[in-house]
Amino acid sequence: MRRIAYGCFGVFVGLPLIAFWVAYLLMDVRSPQDVLASLDKTVVLKYSDGSELLKVLPADGNRSFVPYDKVPAKLRDAIIATEDPTFWDNEGFDPTGIGRAFLTGVGGGSGITQQYIKKSTGDDDATLGRKLQELVLATKITQQQSKEQIFTSYVNIISFGRGTFGPAAATNAFFGRPLDDSMTWSEAAFLAGMIQSPSVHDPAVSGDAHAAKRWTYVRDKLVQRGYVKPADAATMAYPGKEILPPSETRASVTYDEYHVKQQVLSELEQDGFPLSRLQQGNLVVQTTLDRKAQESARSTLADRLKGEPKEFRGALVSVDPATGAVRAYDGGDNGVRDYAGTEHAAGSAFYPFTLTAGVRAGVSPDEPVAAPGAIDFLGENFEYPQKCPSTCTLRTAMTSGADTPYIGLAKRVGADAVSAAARDAGIAEAVDGSPTLREKDGFLIGSGIAVGRYPLRPLDLAGAYGTFAADGMRVAPHLVDKVLTQDGSVVWQHDDEPHPAFSDDAGVSAKISAEVTNVLQTFLPDGRPAALRTGEFQHGNSSDNQDAWAIGYTPQLATAVWVGSDDGRRLFDAQGRKLMGSTVPADIWRTFMVQAEQGQPIEGTGGVEPRFAPPLAKQTAPPGR
């Protein structure tokens, strides 16, 4: 037994210690200057067929090295408070992260020293091997360098977004001035907040509301860690008016290409491939985008909006329901704001999820329902014109544009059930850390869920409607298929298996989806069977609309089209009519779907009943509201 004990000690303690010591002797930590010099490679993004989509060029002059004493103290404190509050006292690594990687094969939660190791090696895989490498190198750098030197190395190779690396380039890119000690706490909090996900937190990409939430998070961390007094924090304000537009960062790409680039880079960050890793590895990214569908989305959106009022904005996202692969993504060509990746109120386009909750609770779409002119839900009174036929059902309410039957259904099944149905279809719990389908407190599900008041991204709605198209099988929409080396070897590939959305039983989930599809069924102009829901969100208490949608699908594609404005104003089309989902958005949806479906086989059966009616000769689609 003693020999067995010695053997176990050697295996579980001795060998790891020897391996650690050998690795310690053989591995070296790269200097920040070497890392910055390696960030000069062009990253190529490709279409799904392997042809070139666009190039992400290195930003010349945006990699200036800044010594420790030239980094403003407020920015240092903001970064440490947000990224690694124990930085000055810890040993350079996170034992919890190492243990989690050992037990689960995934990591995360690394401090500043480990983040520097990841960025300097270009290896961000959440694996046990990478965590052990971090442990060795973090120990070595902590023993060989001061905390000030480590922080300096880290802050100079970290990306702050807009193609910048280091605080000097970031300060110039966002505030248009050199880095110095005049930096305010508000500016420092903003820049520190960019580090976590620079492709997402830029207000020019995700909007000021999202960026302000991230800024507030950093400000609160400064207070919690004792860097800023609560009284002083109360006087701080989000520096939105000081932040410059990033038009120069588009380089040679159009705005709609810029949106694709940013969305792809954001997704890659979440998958462990930040831009710095792609550049250092000289890697190639193959997206899911279909060249033909992407070109059709761009031309269809631009052509239909050309004759409309100048304040009109639009977005289109199309997803393969079976795989979640995004085949077309257009966030508009009106500036750096990506309308496909930012949130807009879904309005009555949200009703199919309410219907899903009802069907799941045993409610038939064809049973008679009340259609009052006014209805109370969770303390809010809703008044709408009576549009439903005399014998009103959920089916006729959907096609006639009646609202109160669906508010009544939400009241019948409960707000939680409606929210759960949308989540099960594919609406995420949070987008970039901000909860969805909730009030501003992030917890309460209020009366707004009954009328689609909570804003959602076209990207997520296309994916959620795609669940209905895929017989109730859910898969997350994504734009990245694989990451490749220059010789074509696969470094990483997206892997997300579909699973039943509305029940553990795939058959039950398919029946629920078939019921919803049957209510939404329509036809494309070429006679192809499809499903479509158009809807609007009203402006304040008026009867006019500020957002309009057309969202629908065939078995091959689920497509969401949004039309609105930058400031949520009342919208009227070129003929002076109030904007409706059944007009401009539906025109865009039908034109795109006909073009994208050319050459595709006509599919139409599945579930308990045919999901789509058999094709008829050259029928035009009804409004679909």
Side-chain angles (χ1 to χ4, degrees):
M1 290 187 66
R2 186 166 54 249
R3 284 195 295 270
I4 292 173
Y6 289 152
C8 291
F9 180 84
V11 170
F12 293 107
V13 180
L15 289 179
L17 286 175
I18 294 172
F20 180 92
W21 180 246
V22 171
Y24 187 94
L25 294 175
L26 295 178
M27 292 181 180
D28 283 313
V29 182
R30 297 177 69 194
S31 71
Q33 291 85 353
D34 288 341
V35 176
L36 290 174
S38 70
L39 299 175
D40 60 354
K41 297 182 179 68
T42 296
V43 176
V44 177
L45 307 187
K46 295 186 174 184
Y47 285 106
S48 58
D49 63 3
S51 60
E52 185 175 305
L53 169 60
L54 57 89
K55 293 179 179 178
V56 182
L57 303 175
D60 295 332
N62 281 347
R63 300 189 293 273
S64 304
F65 185 86
V66 181
Y68 180 82
D69 58 1
K70 297 297 182 181
V71 181
K74 291 175 181 175
L75 181 58
R76 294 199 301 260
D77 291 343
I79 292 173
I80 290 171
T82 308
E83 296 295 317
D84 189 357
T86 65
F87 171 70
W88 295 112
D89 303 312
N90 64 41
E91 295 301 318
F93 59 88
D94 175 17
T96 303
I98 300 292
R100 183 164 56 250
F102 181 79
L103 293 173
T104 68
V106 296
S110 301
I112 282 175
T113 307
Q114 283 179 268
Q115 287 186 49
Y116 175 72
I117 298 301
K118 285 190 291 186
K119 301 299 181 184
S120 66
T121 59
D123 186 358
D124 201 27
D125 289 329
T127 62
L128 176 60
R130 194 262 291 170
K131 281 293 183 182
L132 292 177
Q133 181 188 32
E134 281 183 25
L135 173 62
V136 173
L137 292 179
T139 301
K140 190 168 187 175
I141 195 175
T142 301
Q143 292 179 349
Q144 294 180 346
Q145 297 183 20
S146 67
K147 288 288 187 177
E148 290 79 5
Q149 289 174 306
I150 294 171
F151 181 86
T152 303
S153 297
Y154 164 80
V155 80
N156 276 285
I157 70 167
I158 207 73
S159 173
F160 289 83
R162 298 191 180 181
T164 65
F165 292 89
T171 304
N172 181 61
F174 286 101
F175 300 112
R177 58 180 178 79
L179 181 72
D180 55 41
D181 287 331
S182 67
M183 178 175 288
T184 66
W185 276 118
S186 292
E187 293 169 339
F190 173 81
L191 292 177
M194 289 294 297
I195 292 173
Q196 184 213 44
S197 188
S199 294
V200 171
H201 296 317
D202 190 338
V205 176
S206 300
D208 278 311
H210 170 85
K213 288 181 182 178
R214 180 63 182 167
W215 177 88
T216 302
Y217 172 84
V218 178
R219 182 202 61 187
D220 293 347
K221 288 296 181 185
L222 283 166
V223 174
Q224 293 173 17
R225 309 301 183 194
Y227 292 104
V228 175
K229 295 179 180 179
D232 294 332
T235 65
M236 292 170 60
Y238 168 68
K241 294 182 179 179
E242 303 169 35
I243 300 169
L244 301 177
S247 56
E248 71 279 2
T249 65
R250 292 188 299 113
S252 60
V253 301
T254 61
Y255 281 119
D256 42 16
E257 290 174 330
Y258 176 76
H259 302 146
V260 169
K261 182 187 79 170
Q262 293 299 104
Q263 190 65 35
V264 168
L265 292 179
S266 173
E267 190 174 306
L268 284 163
E269 281 181 11
Q270 305 305 314
D271 291 326
F273 286 88
L275 179 57
S276 57
R277 182 179 183 184
L278 298 171
Q279 290 172 319
Q280 289 184 71
N282 201 16
L283 300 174
V284 175
V285 178
Q286 183 164 311
T287 72
T288 61
L289 296 173
D290 177 84
R291 176 186 284 275
K292 175 187 169 185
Q294 185 69 7
E295 292 173 352
S296 176
R298 184 182 299 117
S299 62
T300 302
L301 199 62
D303 290 348
R304 182 60 183 85
L305 294 180
K306 190 177 297 181
E308 297 299 335
K310 63 180 181 180
E311 61 267 22
F312 273 36
R313 302 288 183 263
L316 185 154
V317 180
S318 191
V319 177
D320 181 341
T323 64
V326 176
R327 298 308 185 191
Y329 186 97
D330 195 303
D333 198 23
N334 300 96
V336 294
R337 185 177 177 187
D338 176 5
Y339 300 104
T342 50
E343 298 169 309
H344 321 279
S348 51
F350 189 79
Y351 290 168
F353 303 119
T354 309
L355 176 60
T356 301
V359 171
R360 189 151 64 171
V363 179
S364 169
D366 295 306
E367 70 179 55
V369 294
I375 187 171
D376 179 87
F377 179 58
L378 295 179
E380 181 174 358
N381 186 62
F382 296 96
E383 295 184 13
Y384 287 97
Q386 293 179 316
K387 298 179 181 179
C388 211
S390 55
T391 302
C392 185
T393 66
L394 294 174
R395 184 186 304 276
T396 58
M398 188 77 78
T399 56
S400 65
D403 295 280
T404 55
Y406 278 92
I407 300 173
L409 179 60
K411 186 174 183 177
R412 179 175 173 181
V413 300
D416 287 340
V418 175
S419 176
R423 296 238 183 271
D424 290 342
I427 301 299
E429 288 279 351
V431 173
D432 306 324
S434 300
T436 61
L437 300 180
R438 296 289 187 275
E439 295 295 319
K440 291 182 179 180
D441 62 6
F443 298 99
L444 179 67
I445 305 175
S447 56
I449 199 164
V451 291
R453 186 180 297 155
Y454 301 132
L456 298 170
R457 301 186 301 178
L459 174 63
D460 295 324
L461 282 167
Y465 270 65
T467 300
F468 300 130
D471 290 328
M473 300 296 289
R474 185 182 70 200
V475 62
H478 60 280
L479 281 85
V480 179
D481 179 25
K482 61 185 73 171
V483 177
L484 309 163
T485 61
Q486 289 293 318
D487 64 6
S489 300
V490 177
V491 176
W492 175 90
Q493 185 160 10
H494 182 88
D495 183 20
D496 188 6
E497 289 293 324
H499 59 275
F502 307 119
S503 169
D504 292 337
D505 186 325
V508 173
S509 186
K511 290 179 181 179
I512 294 171
S513 292
E515 289 273 24
V516 175
T517 295
N518 190 262
V519 172
L520 300 178
Q521 68 175 351
T522 185
F523 298 92
L524 295 179
D526 63 359
R528 184 182 297 267
L532 173 64
R533 172 61 180 171
T534 64
E536 304 82 32
F537 182 71
Q538 291 183 339
H539 178 85
N541 293 321
S542 74
S543 60
D544 299 321
N545 301 318
Q546 67 180 47
D547 298 277
W549 296 84
I551 316 174
Y553 50 89
T554 65
Q556 292 93 349
L557 284 177
T559 301
V561 176
W562 167 85
V563 174
S565 68
D566 284 318
D567 53 7
R569 66 176 72 184
R570 294 180 177 92
L571 292 177
F572 301 90
D573 64 20
Q575 284 72 45
R577 302 169 302 185
K578 71 177 181 180
L579 178 65
M580 300 289 291
S582 57
T583 56
V584 180
D587 290 346
I588 295 169
W589 183 86
R590 292 191 186 100
T591 301
F592 169 81
M593 290 294 283
V594 168
Q595 293 178 1
E597 293 278 2
Q598 284 181 353
Q600 293 289 335
I602 295 178
E603 299 179 20
T605 59
V608 250
E609 298 177 356
R611 287 182 296 156
F612 300 91
L616 302 179
K618 297 293 181 183
Q619 292 195 36
T620 57
R625 193 185 187 285

